[in-house]
C-alpha cells in the first residue's frame, strides 16, 4: 500500500494499465470497473499488458505515457452504485422523452419496459397517447391522478380508463361559450381509439353575468330569475364529441351540477329543449352505442318524446336508462311505442319517474308485442292498481321478460290477485319485486297460492307489503326450492356429459 | 293438462295469421315439451337421489350445509342492506301520497281563498260604486274606513295564508334537512351493514372452509383405515395360502424323485440297445455315403462339361443375336431410306406425269389448230386447183379453137382442100373431172353389220334373201359378194356372243332392256370399236380369220363337234383347258372372265343349234356352205390372231380416221392425163405432116421473097445515092469558092474522077 501512495492517482484516465499493478484484491475490482466504464479499451489493454511491465523495471517515470496510473482504493466503492451505460442512456431518454419520443420503437423490449417505468406521468398526452401501449405506464398515470381506480369497470385496461376519465373530466369541466375548446379538440383525436364508455356526471351551464361557481350568493337569486325569464341556457353539445369516437358503446349523462353545495341554483339543473334535441340527434347518429343513460336530468314528457322519436329503430341500443326523471304518462306512451318493436332494447330502466295508470297501460300494451325486453324496472312510479293489473295482463302474453320491478307503485290486493295468475302461467319470469306495496294479507295468500304452482321464479320481494308472515314464509320456501332447481339445471347444463347425476343436485326439501 | 290447455288458449296460437306469433307459438310448444321432459327426469333423479342420499359422504354433506348456510347469510345480508332502501322507498312513496294530499288541500285552500277573496273584492268594488253616490262626507268617511278595514281584512287574510305557506315551507325545509340527515344516516347504515356483511361473510366463508377441510380430512382418514384393514386381511389370507401350497409341493417333489430314478434305470438299458443298433446303421450309411460321393463327383464333372458347352453356345447365340440386331437396324435404316426415296420418286413421277399431261394437252391443242389450218389450206388448195384447172382448160380450149381455125384456113386457103372439123365433144367438159365410182370404201363396218342383220331378218320370211336384198339395197356391201349374209350374220353373232368381254359392263346394263337384234348390234358396235374394225374390208378380214380356221381344219372341226355330242366330258375338259388358256391370255379384263364362263355355258347349248344349222345349211347346197365357221371356243384365238396381225394398222387407221383429211391425192387423177391428151389429139399426124411440109415450102418461099425484097431495097438506095451525089457535084461546081481557090476542087475532082485509069 505504501508504494502506491507516491504514485499519483489519475482519475481521468482510468486506463487498464493500472489494473495490472494493483493488488490482487483491487485488481478484480478495477478490472470490472474499467470494463464497465470503457468496454472498448479492455481489448486494447490486453494487448498492451506485457510491454509496460518490462519497461517499468527500468524507469517507471521515464515515459509519462507508460507511467503507471493507479486509482486509490476506495473502500466505499461498490459496483452496485455505478449505473450501467444502458441505465444512463435510459435516464437521459427519460429526461428528454417529451422531445424525442420516437426512440421508443427502436429499443429492445426490456429496455422499453425500463424506460416506460421511469418516464414522467406528466408528459403531454399528445406524445404518449398513440405511442405508448404499456399498461404499466397508464396505471401509473391513473394512480397519480386519481385515488380510486377501479380498473374492472373499464375492461381491465388502464389506458382506456385514463382516456375515458380524462375525456369525462374535460367534458364535465366544460363551460359553454367560456371554456376554450382547444383542449377538447386536441384531446379528442387522441382519445378516439380508446374510449368505449362515457360517464358524464355533470354538465355545467354557460356562465351569465358572473362566474358560475363564484361565491356571489346574493346574485344567485337575481340570476335565477334572469335565467328563468331569458333565453334558455344550452349545455355542452355532444354533437362535437360523439362522431369522433368510433368505438363508444356506453353513454351516461346527467344534465346537472355535481356538488353544487351552497351555490345551489335551479337553473343549474336545467335540461333545455335545445339540449335535448341536440343530444337526441347525436345519439341517433351514433350507431355503435349500446347503453344510453340519462339520469337526474329533469327529463319531462316532451323531451322524452323528442328523444324517443330520434331513437326509433336505432340498430344497436340495448339498454335505456331514464331513471330519476319526471316522465309522465305521455312520455311513457312514447317509451311504449319505442318498445313496440322499434328498438333492440333488452333492458329498460324508468325508475323513479311520474308514470301513472295511462303510462303503465301504454307500456303494458307494448309488452304484449315485444319479444326482446328482458328487464323492466318501474320502481317508484305511481302506477296504481289499474296500471299494475295492466302490466300483469301483458305478462300473461309476454314470454321474454324475466325481471320485473314494481316496487313502491301503490299496488294493492287486485294486482296481487292478477299477479298470482301470471305467476302460474308465465314461465319466463325469474325475478319480481313488489316491495313497498300494500298488498295486504289476502293478496299475500293469493300470491302464495299462485306461487305453489310455479317453479321458475327465484326472487320475489314482498317486504313492506303487509302480506302476513305465514304466506311470506311459504313463498320464501317455494322460492328457495326454485332457486335450488335453477341451480341444479345450471349445473347440469354446465356438465351435460356426465352420466350419473352429481350428488350436489340432490338437495331436496 | 288443463294448465297447458289454458296456456294455448292465452298464448300465441299456431293458427294465427301473424307469422311471428306462429313462431312464438311453436317455440312455446317446444319449450313446454322440454320442460315436461326435464320435469320427468328431475323426478327420476330425485327418486334415485333419495337412495343415494344416505350414502352421501361426510364432505359432501358438509359442503351442502356450508353452501346453504352461506347462501342464507348472503340472502340475509342482501335483505338487510336492501331493507334500508326499501324503507326509504316506502317512505318516499308515503311522502308522495301525503304530498299529493297536502297539495290537493293546499290547492283547495287556495281556491277557497281565491273565491272568498274575489267575493270580497266584488263586494268592495260594489261599495265603491255606492260610495260615488254618497254626498255626505261623514258617510263617505265612514264608508272609506269600512272599505279600508275590509281591504285590510282581505290583505290580512292573504298575508295569513302567505305566512302559513311560508311556515309550511320552512317546516318543509326543516323536513328536507332532516331528510338529508336521515338519508346520510341511512347511507352510513348501509355502509356499516355492508362492512359488517363483508366481515361476517369472510368469517363465515373461512369457518365453512375450515369445516369442509376437517370433513375432508375425516373422510380421508376413515377411507384410509378401511382400506388398510382390507389390505391387511388380504395379506393374511395370501400368507395362509402360500404355506398350504408349500407343503403340498414338497410332497409332490418326493414322488417325482422316485419316479425319476426308476425311469432313469430303464432309459439307460434302452439307450444301450439303441446305441448298438444305431452304430451298425451308421456304418451302413457311411458306405452308402461313399458310393453317393463317387456318383456325385461323376455327375459333377459331367455337368461341368455340359455347363461349359452351354456357355459357349450362349456366347455364340449372343454374338449372332447382336449381329442380327445390327442387321435389323441397318435394314430398317435402308427401309426408311427406301421409303423416303420412294416417296420422293412418286412425287417426282407425279410431277412428271402432270408435266406430260400438260404437254399432251398443249400438243393436242396445237394439233387441233394444225388440223384446222390444214383444213383451211386444203380448201384453198382445192379451190386453187379448181381455178387453175378451169384456166388451163379454157386456154386449151382456146388454143384448140385457134388451131382448128388455122387448120381450116390452111386447108381452105393454102391447100385448097375441103376441111372437116374433128370431134370436139370433150371440150364441153368444164372443171376438174370427178369420179363417183371410188365411194365403195366408205361403207362402215357398222353398216355392214346392220345390213347383215337386216338381210337376215328378211330371210325369216323369204329364203331368197340374196336377190331381194340386192334389189332392196342399192348400196350393197361387197362383202356379201364374198360371203353369204347368213354366214356373215353367224360370224357376227358369234363375235357378239364370244367377245362380250370387250364390251364395257355399263353398256351391258344399258342394253338389257333392248331387243335381241338391237342389242347384238350395239354390242357388235362396241366390239368393233374395241377391235378397231372400221370398214367393210376389216370385217372381211375378220371373217377370213373366222372362216379360215374352219377351212384349215374342216375335218378336225366336224369330228370334234361330233365328239362333243357323243362325249361331253373330254370336251368340257378341253373347254376348261381353253378357259385356262384364255385366262392366261385374258390379262386385260380379268373381271369379265366369270361372265365369259357363263356365256360359254349359254353358248355351249347354242353350239348344237349352230351345228345343226350348219349341217342344215350344208345340204341346201349353197356356194358358201363350204365355209365352215370355227368352233366358238376358237373364237378367242381367232380374235387374238386378228388383233396380233392387225395391231399396227388399226392404230394408224384410228389416227387416220381421227384426222380424216381428204387429201387431194385421194382424187383420181388417172383420167386427167387422157383428158388432157385429147387436146393435142385434135390434130392428127397426117395433118401435122402436111403442116410440116407446108412450113418447109413456105419457108423456102419466104426466103426467096425476102432476098428479092432486099435486092429491091438495095437498088432503091443506090438510086437515091446516085441522085444525091449528082446534086453535090453540081453544087461544088457551081460554087464561088471554087474560083477563089488556087486549085479548084473541081479540078481535083476531075482529077479524081478522072484518074489515070
Amino acid at each position: 500500500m505504501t508504494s502506491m501512495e507516491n504514485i499519483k492517482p489519475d482519475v481521468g484516465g482510468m486506463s487498464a494499465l493500472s489494473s495490472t499493478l494493483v493488488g490482487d484484491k483491487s485488481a478484480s475490482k478495477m478490472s470490472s470497473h474499467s470494463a464497465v466504464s470503457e468496454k472498448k479499451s479492455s481489448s486494447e489493454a490486453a494487448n498492451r499488458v506485457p510491454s509496460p511491465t518490462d519497461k517499468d523495471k527500468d524507469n517507471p517515470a521515464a515515459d509519462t505515457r507508460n507511467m503507471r496510473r493507479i486509482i486509490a482504493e476506495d473502500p466505499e466503492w461498490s459496483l452496485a452504485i455505478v449505473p450501467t451505460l444502458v441505465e444512463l442512456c435510459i435516464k437521459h431518454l427519460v429526461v428528454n422523452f417529451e422531445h424525442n419520443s420516437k426512440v421508443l420503437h427502436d429499443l429492445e423490449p426490456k429496455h422499453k419496459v425500463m424506460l416506460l417505468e421511469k418516464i414522467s406521468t406528466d408528459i403531454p398526452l399528445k406524445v404518449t397517447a398513440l405511442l405508448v401501449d404499456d399498461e404499466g405506464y397508464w396505471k401509473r398515470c391513473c394512480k397519480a391522478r386519481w385515488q380510486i381506480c377501479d380498473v374492472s369497470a373499464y375492461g381491465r385496461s388502464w389506458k382506456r380508463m385514463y382516456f375515458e376519465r380524462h375525456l369525462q373530466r374535460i367534458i364535465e369541466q366544460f363551460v359553454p361559450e367560456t371554456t376554450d375548446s382547444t383542449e377538447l379538440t386536441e384531446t379528442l383525436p387522441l382519445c378516439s381509439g380508446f374510449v368505449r364508455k362515457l360517464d358524464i356526471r355533470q354538465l355545467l351551464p354557460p356562465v351569465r353575468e358572473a362566474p358560475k361557481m363564484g361565491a356571489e350568493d346574493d346574485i344567485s337569486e337575481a340570476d335565477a330569475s334572469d335565467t328563468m325569464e331569458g333565453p334558455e341556457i344550452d349545455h355542452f353539445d355532444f354533437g362535437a364529441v360523439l362522431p369522433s369516437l368510433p368505438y363508444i358503446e356506453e353513454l351516461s349523462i346527467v344534465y346537472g351540477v355535481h356538488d353544487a353545495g351552497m351555490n345551489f341554483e335551479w337553473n343549474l339543473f336545467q335540461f333545455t329543449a335545445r339540449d335535448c334535441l341536440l343530444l337526441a340527434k347525436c345519439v341517433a347518429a351514433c350507431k355503435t352505442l349500446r347503453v344510453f343513460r340519462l339520469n337526474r336530468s329533469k327529463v319531462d314528457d316532451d323531451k322524452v318524446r323528442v328523444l324517443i322519436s330520434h331513437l326509433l329503430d336505432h340498430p344497436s341500443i340495448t339498454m335505456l336508462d331514464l331513471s330519476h326523471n319526471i316522465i309522465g304518462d305521455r312520455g311513457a306512451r312514447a317509451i311504449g311505442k319505442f318498445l313496440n318493436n322499434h328498438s333492440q332494447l333488452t333492458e329498460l330502466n324508468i325508475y323513479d319517474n311520474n308514470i301513472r295508470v295511462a303510462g303503465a297501460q301504454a307500456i303494458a300494451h307494448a309488452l304484449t308485442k315485444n319479444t326482446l325486453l328482458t328487464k323492466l324496472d318501474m320502481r317508484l312510479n305511481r302506477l296504481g292498481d289499474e296500471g299494475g293489473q295492466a302490466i300483469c295482463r301483458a305478462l300473461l302474453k309476454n314470454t321474454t321478460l324475466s325481471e320485473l320491478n314494481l316496487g313502491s307503485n301503490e299496488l294493492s290486493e287486485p294486482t296481487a290477485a292478477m299477479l298470482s295468475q301470471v305467476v302460474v302461467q308465465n314461465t319466463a319470469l325469474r325475478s319480481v319485486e313488489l316491495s313497498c306495496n300494500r298488498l295486504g294479507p289476502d293478496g299475500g295468500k293469493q300470491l302464495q297460492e299462485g306461487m305453489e304452482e310455479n317453479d321458475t321464479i327465484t326472487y320475489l320481494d314482498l317486504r313492506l307489503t303487509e302480506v302476513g308472515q305465514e304466506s311470506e314464509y311459504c313463498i320464501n320456501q317455494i322460492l328457495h326450492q326454485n332457486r335450488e332447481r335453477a341451480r341444479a339445471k345450471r349445473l347440469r347444463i354446465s356438465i351435460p356429459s356426465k352420466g350419473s347425476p352429481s350428488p350436489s343436485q340432490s338437495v331436496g326439501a | 293438462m288443463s294448465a297447458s290447455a289454458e296456456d294455448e288458449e292465452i298464448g300465441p296460437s299456431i293458427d294465427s295469421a301473424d307469422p311471428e306469433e306462429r313462431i312464438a307459438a311453436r317455440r312455446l310448444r317446444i319449450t313446454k315439451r322440454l320442460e315436461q321432459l326435464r320435469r320427468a327426469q328431475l323426478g327420476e333423479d330425485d327418486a334415485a337421489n333419495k337412495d343415494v342420499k344416505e350414502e352421501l359422504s361426510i364432505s359432501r354433506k358438509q359442503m351442502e350445509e356450508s353452501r346453504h348456510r352461506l347462501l342464507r347469510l348472503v340472502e340475509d345480508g342482501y335483505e338487510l342492506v336492501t331493507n334500508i332502501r326499501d324503507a326509504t322507498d316506502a317512505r318516499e312513496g308515503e311522502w308522495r301520497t301525503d304530498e299529493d294530499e297536502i297539495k290537493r288541500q293546499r290547492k283547495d285552500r287556495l281556491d277557497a281563498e281565491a273565491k272568498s277573496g274575489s267575493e270580497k273584492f266584488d263586494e268592495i268594488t260594489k261599495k265603491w260604486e255606492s260610495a260615488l253616490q254618497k254626498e255626505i262626507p261623514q258617510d263617505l268617511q265612514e264608508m272609506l274606513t269600512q272599505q279600508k278595514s275590509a281591504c285590510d281584512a282581505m290583505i290580512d287574510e292573504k298575508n295569513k295564508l302567505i305566512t302559513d305557506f311560508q311556515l309550511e315551507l320552512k317546516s318543509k325545509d326543516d323536513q328536507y334537512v332532516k331528510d338529508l340527515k336521515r338519508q346520510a344516516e341511512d347511507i352510513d347504515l348501509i355502509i356499516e351493514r355492508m362492512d359488517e356483511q363483508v366481515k361476517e361473510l369472510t368469517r363465515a366463508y373461512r369457518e365453512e372452509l375450515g369445516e369442509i377441510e376437517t370433513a375432508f380430512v375425516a373422510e380421508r382418514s376413515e377411507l384410509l383405515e378401511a382400506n388398510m384393514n382390507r389390505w391387511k386381511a388380504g395379506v393374511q389370507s395370501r400368507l395362509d395360502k402360500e404355506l398350504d401350497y408349500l407343503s403340498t409341493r414338497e410332497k409332490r417333489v418326493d414322488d417325482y424323485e422316485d419316479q425319476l430314478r426308476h425311469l432313469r434305470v430303464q432309459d439307460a438299458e434302452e439307450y444301450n440297445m439303441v446305441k448298438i443298433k444305431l452304430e451298425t446303421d451308421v456304418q451302413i450309411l457311411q458306405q452308402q455315403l461313399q458310393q453317393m460321393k463317387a456318383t456325385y463327383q461323376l455327375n459333377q464333372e459331367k455337368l461341368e462339361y455340359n455347363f461349359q458347352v452351354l456357355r459357349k453356345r450362349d456366347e455364340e447365340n449372343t454374338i449372332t443375336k447382336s449381329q442380327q440386331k445390327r442387321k435389323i437396324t441397318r435394314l430398317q435404316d435402308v427401309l426408311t431410306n427406301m421409303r423416303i426415296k420412294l416417296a420422293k420418286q412418286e412425287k417426282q413421277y407425279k410431277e412428271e406425269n402432270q408435266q406430260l399431261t400438260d404437254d399432251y394437252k398443249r400438243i393436242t391443242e396445237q394439233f387441233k389448230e394444225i388440223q384446222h389450218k390444214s383444213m383451211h389450206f386444203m380448201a384453198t388448195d382445192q379451190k386453187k386447183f379448181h381455178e387453175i384447172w378451169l384456166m388451163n382448160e379454157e386456154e386449151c380450149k382456146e388454143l384448140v379453137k385457134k388451131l382448128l381455125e388455122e387448120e381450116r384456113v390452111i386447108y381452105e386457103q393454102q391447100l385448097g382442100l375441103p376441111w372437116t372439123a374433128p370431134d370436139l365433144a370433150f371440150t364441153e367438159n368444164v372443171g376438174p373431172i370427178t369420179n363417183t365410182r371410188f365411194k365403195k370404201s366408205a361403207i362402215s363396218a357398222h353398216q355392214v353389220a346392220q345390213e347383215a342383220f337386216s338381210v337376215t331378218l328378211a330371210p325369216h320370211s323369204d329364203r331368197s334373201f340374196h336377190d331381194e336384198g340386192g334389189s332392196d339395197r342399192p348400196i350393197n356391201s361387197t362383202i356379201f359378194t364374198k360371203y353369204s349374209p347368213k354366214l356373215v350374220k353367224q360370224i357376227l353373232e358369234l363375235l357378239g356372243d364370244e367377245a362380250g368381254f370387250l364390251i364395257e359392263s355399263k353398256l351391258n346394263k344399258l342394253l338389257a332392256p333392248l331387243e335381241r337384234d338391237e342389242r347384238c348390234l350395239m354390242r357388235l358396235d362396241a366390239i368393233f370399236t374395241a377391235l378397231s374394225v372400221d370398214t367393210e374390208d376389216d370385217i372381211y378380214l375378220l371373217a377370213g380369220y373366222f372362216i379360215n380356221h374352219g377351212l384349215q381344219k374342216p375335218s378336225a372341226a366336224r369330228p370334234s363337234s361330233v365328239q362333243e355330242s357323243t362325249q361331253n366330258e373330254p370336251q368340257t375338259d378341253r373347254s376348261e383347258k381353253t378357259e385356262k388358256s384364255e385366262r392366261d391370255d385374258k390379262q386385260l379384263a380379268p373381271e369379265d372372265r366369270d361372265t365369259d364362263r357363263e356365256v360359254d355355258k349359254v353358248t355351249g347349248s347354242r353350239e348344237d343349234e349352230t351345228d345343226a344349222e350348219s349341217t342344215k345349211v350344208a345340204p341346201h347346197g349353197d356356194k358358201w356352205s363350204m365355209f365352215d365357221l370355227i368352233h366358238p371356243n376358237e373364237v378367242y384365238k381367232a380374235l387374238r390372231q386378228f388383233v396380233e396381225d392387225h395391231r399396227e394398222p388399226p392404230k394408224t387407221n384410228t389416227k387416220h380416221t381421227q384426222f380424216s383429211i381428204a387429201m387431194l391425192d385421194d382424187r383420181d387423177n388417172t383420167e386427167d392425163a387422157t383428158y388432157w391428151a385429147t387436146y393435142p389429139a385434135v390434130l392428127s399426124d397426117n395433118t401435122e405432116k402436111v403442116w410440116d411440109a407446108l412450113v418447109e415450102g413456105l419457108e423456102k418461099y419466104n426466103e426467096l421473097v425476102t432476098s428479092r425484097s432486099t435486092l429491091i431495097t438495095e437498088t432503091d438506095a443506090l438510086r437515091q445515092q446516085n441522085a444525091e451525089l449528082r446534086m453535090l457535084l453540081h453544087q461544088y461546081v457551081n460554087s464561088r469558092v471554087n474560083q477563089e481557090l488556087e486549085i479548084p476542087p473541081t479540078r481535083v475532082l476531075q482529077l479524081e474522077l478522072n484518074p489515070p485509069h
Side-chain angles (χ1 to χ4, degrees), chain A residues 352 379-380 382 408 410 425 433 435-436 455 459 461 463 483-484 487 489 492 503-504 506-507, chain B residues 10 38-39 41-42 49 56 64 67-68 75 78-79 82-83 85-86 89-90 96-97 100:
Chain A
D352 190 13
R379 196 179 173 83
L380 260 182
R382 317 186 70 180
S408 307
E410 298 178 351
Q425 285 183 18
E433 179 142 357
S435 58
C436 312
D455 54 359
Y459 183 79
D461 196 345
R463 280 173 292 177
R483 262 200 291 274
E484 290 300 323
R487 182 170 173 272
K489 202 193 284 177
R492 202 180 311 159
S504 62
S506 61
V507 184
Chain B
I10 293 160
R38 211 173 294 147
R39 262 180 216 161
Q41 268 187 346
L42 263 180
N49 284 335
L56 269 179
E64 278 305 311
R67 194 173 66 77
H68 279 292
E75 278 167 17
Y78 180 75
E79 217 172 299
T82 49
N83 265 341
R85 192 198 65 190
D86 282 354
D89 277 356
R96 276 190 189 181
T97 47
D100 276 357

Side-chain angles (χ1 to χ4, degrees), chain A residues 136-309:
Chain A
Y137 172 74
W138 294 109
K139 187 176 177 178
R140 282 197 298 127
C141 288
C142 289
K143 288 263 168 79
R145 215 164 148 181
W146 301 290
Q147 287 180 333
I148 302 164
C149 300
D150 182 10
V151 78
S152 64
Y154 299 90
R156 308 235 160 250
S157 165
W158 289 97
K159 190 175 185 181
R160 186 182 146 197
M161 175 176 170
Y162 186 85
F163 278 107
E164 283 179 5
R165 291 181 73 163
H166 183 65
L167 191 62
Q168 278 164 27
R169 193 193 58 80
I170 290 172
I171 292 171
E172 281 170 5
Q173 304 283 318
F174 193 86
V175 181
E177 295 171 25
T178 48
T179 311
D180 190 10
S181 64
T182 48
E183 193 186 358
L184 183 67
T185 49
E186 274 173 18
T187 323
L188 261 181
L190 303 177
C191 298
S192 63
F194 313 105
V195 174
R196 302 279 153 95
K197 188 171 86 176
L198 268 183
D199 188 4
I200 310 298
R201 274 183 239 136
Q202 73 166 5
L203 282 172
L204 300 179
V207 183
R208 304 202 126 241
E209 295 174 23
K212 171 200 63 91
M213 296 295 264
E216 292 92 336
D217 289 351
D218 42 352
I219 305 171
S220 63
E221 279 179 20
D223 211 345
S225 61
D226 265 351
T227 47
M228 291 306 264
E229 288 162 12
E232 286 181 322
I233 300 156
D234 297 329
H235 288 84
F236 177 77
D237 181 12
F238 281 92
V241 178
L242 283 189
S244 53
L245 299 174
Y247 302 113
I248 191 156
E249 289 174 353
E250 278 188 60
L251 180 64
S252 310
I253 302 172
V254 174
Y255 278 85
V257 182
H258 200 245
D259 293 333
M262 295 308 283
N263 302 322
F264 175 83
E265 286 170 34
W266 280 110
N267 72 329
L268 293 181
F269 299 89
Q270 205 171 27
F271 181 41
T272 65
R274 209 173 106 77
D275 279 338
C276 179
L277 189 66
L278 289 173
L279 181 68
K281 271 183 186 163
C282 68
V283 168
C286 183
K287 300 294 181 196
T288 54
L289 205 63
R290 285 196 295 107
V291 178
F292 179 55
R293 294 197 189 87
L294 183 60
N295 303 334
R296 287 182 281 148
S297 299
K298 288 190 178 176
V299 178
D300 57 16
D301 290 344
D302 295 329
K303 282 163 195 158
V304 167
R305 288 160 76 88
V306 169
L307 266 180
I308 296 295
S309 68

Side-chain angles (χ1 to χ4, degrees), chain A residues 233-457:
Chain A
I233 300 156
D234 297 329
H235 288 84
F236 177 77
D237 181 12
F238 281 92
V241 178
L242 283 189
S244 53
L245 299 174
Y247 302 113
I248 191 156
E249 289 174 353
E250 278 188 60
L251 180 64
S252 310
I253 302 172
V254 174
Y255 278 85
V257 182
H258 200 245
D259 293 333
M262 295 308 283
N263 302 322
F264 175 83
E265 286 170 34
W266 280 110
N267 72 329
L268 293 181
F269 299 89
Q270 205 171 27
F271 181 41
T272 65
R274 209 173 106 77
D275 279 338
C276 179
L277 189 66
L278 289 173
L279 181 68
K281 271 183 186 163
C282 68
V283 168
C286 183
K287 300 294 181 196
T288 54
L289 205 63
R290 285 196 295 107
V291 178
F292 179 55
R293 294 197 189 87
L294 183 60
N295 303 334
R296 287 182 281 148
S297 299
K298 288 190 178 176
V299 178
D300 57 16
D301 290 344
D302 295 329
K303 282 163 195 158
V304 167
R305 288 160 76 88
V306 169
L307 266 180
I308 296 295
S309 68
H310 279 90
L311 288 184
L312 277 184
D313 294 321
H314 193 286
S316 58
I317 283 187
T318 56
M319 188 201 163
L320 182 65
D321 187 349
L322 294 170
S323 53
H324 303 291
N325 284 308
I326 48 171
I327 299 168
D329 287 340
R330 288 197 301 132
R333 217 170 285 145
I335 291 169
K337 192 186 176 191
F338 187 51
L339 283 181
N340 198 354
N341 292 331
H342 278 298
S343 66
Q344 305 294 316
L345 270 194
T346 58
E347 208 176 330
L348 175 64
N349 202 344
I350 39 178
Y351 173 60
D352 190 13
N353 274 298
N354 202 12
I355 296 169
R356 287 163 197 272
V357 178
Q361 279 168 347
I363 287 172
H365 179 70
L367 274 184
T368 58
K369 303 220 174 143
N370 189 293
T371 53
L372 289 168
L373 198 70
T374 56
K375 277 189 189 174
L376 177 62
D377 191 347
M378 296 182 72
R379 196 179 173 83
L380 260 182
N381 281 296
R382 317 186 70 180
L383 305 184
D385 268 329
E386 279 184 53
Q389 277 173 321
I391 298 267
C392 289
R393 242 175 268 128
L395 284 181
L396 286 176
K397 290 187 183 174
N398 187 293
T399 54
T400 51
L401 195 71
S402 63
E403 285 182 35
L404 176 66
N405 195 337
L406 292 173
S408 307
N409 263 314
E410 298 178 351
L411 308 177
S412 60
E413 214 174 300
T415 314
M418 198 71 206
L419 197 63
S420 69
Q421 261 188 42
V422 172
V423 160
V424 171
Q425 285 183 18
N426 193 312
T427 53
L429 272 181
R430 295 279 177 277
S431 155
V432 183
E433 179 142 357
L434 294 168
S435 58
C436 312
N437 289 306
R438 277 204 180 73
L439 300 180
D442 291 343
K445 267 176 195 151
Q446 276 171 325
L447 260 183
Q448 182 192 341
E449 282 166 19
M451 278 305 290
E452 272 164 12
E453 297 197 27
N454 183 292
D455 54 359
T456 52
I457 290 178

Side-chain angles (χ1 to χ4, degrees), chain B residues 343-402:
Chain B
K344 219 182 277 171
Q345 276 188 344
E346 267 176 8
K347 205 176 165 191
Q348 204 178 320
Y349 284 133
K350 264 182 199 163
E351 280 172 14
E352 227 166 275
N353 189 21
Q354 186 66 29
Q355 210 174 324
L356 285 173
T357 47
D358 288 350
D359 283 357
Y360 171 69
K361 276 179 192 165
R362 195 162 36 84
I363 286 161
T364 45
E365 273 171 27
Q366 280 177 356
F367 170 69
K368 270 178 190 166
E369 219 168 289
I370 287 165
Q371 209 174 345
H372 192 69
K373 268 184 204 168
S374 71
M375 290 282 275
H376 177 71
F377 283 127
M378 225 147 58
T380 48
D381 280 358
Q382 203 152 12
K383 204 179 165 192
K384 208 180 268 175
F385 170 70
H386 195 253
E387 278 169 6
I388 288 166
W389 180 283
L390 280 181
M391 190 186 73
N392 284 341
E393 206 176 35
E394 212 161 300
E395 211 175 328
C396 283
K397 277 175 188 169
E398 223 161 287
L399 278 172
V400 166
K401 219 180 265 180
K402 218 171 162 183

Side-chain angles (χ1 to χ4, degrees), chain B residues 553-663:
Chain B
K553 34 182 180 177
S555 55
R558 281 205 180 164
S560 72
S561 62
V562 171
Q563 274 174 355
E564 276 166 16
S565 55
T566 53
Q567 299 173 336
N568 263 329
E569 285 182 4
Q571 193 268 332
T572 47
D573 283 349
R574 204 182 53 185
S575 70
E576 275 173 11
K577 275 176 195 170
T578 49
E579 269 173 34
K580 274 177 188 173
S581 63
E582 277 169 21
R583 252 172 237 167
D584 295 333
D585 294 338
K586 278 191 277 178
Q587 295 290 341
L588 295 166
E591 295 98 340
D592 292 339
R593 261 181 255 159
D594 294 333
T595 54
D596 271 8
R597 205 179 293 163
E598 285 175 7
V599 169
D600 271 0
K601 277 174 190 172
V602 174
T603 50
S605 61
R606 202 178 287 171
E607 276 168 40
D608 302 335
E609 290 176 28
T610 49
D611 283 351
E613 273 183 346
S614 62
T615 48
K616 270 182 191 173
V617 166
H620 273 282
D622 258 322
K623 63 172 176 178
W624 292 295
S625 62
M626 67 181 196
F627 298 121
D628 199 357
L629 285 175
I630 55 162
H631 188 268
N633 286 346
E634 313 259 307
V635 166
Y636 191 70
K637 278 178 188 170
L639 276 177
R640 194 175 170 76
Q641 191 71 36
F642 171 75
V643 171
E644 269 173 13
D645 290 353
H646 299 273
R647 186 174 282 161
E648 298 306 310
K651 278 186 182 174
T652 50
N653 274 351
T654 51
K655 280 192 177 177
H656 276 289
T657 51
Q658 277 179 348
F659 280 99
S660 72
I661 300 166
M663 297 299 285

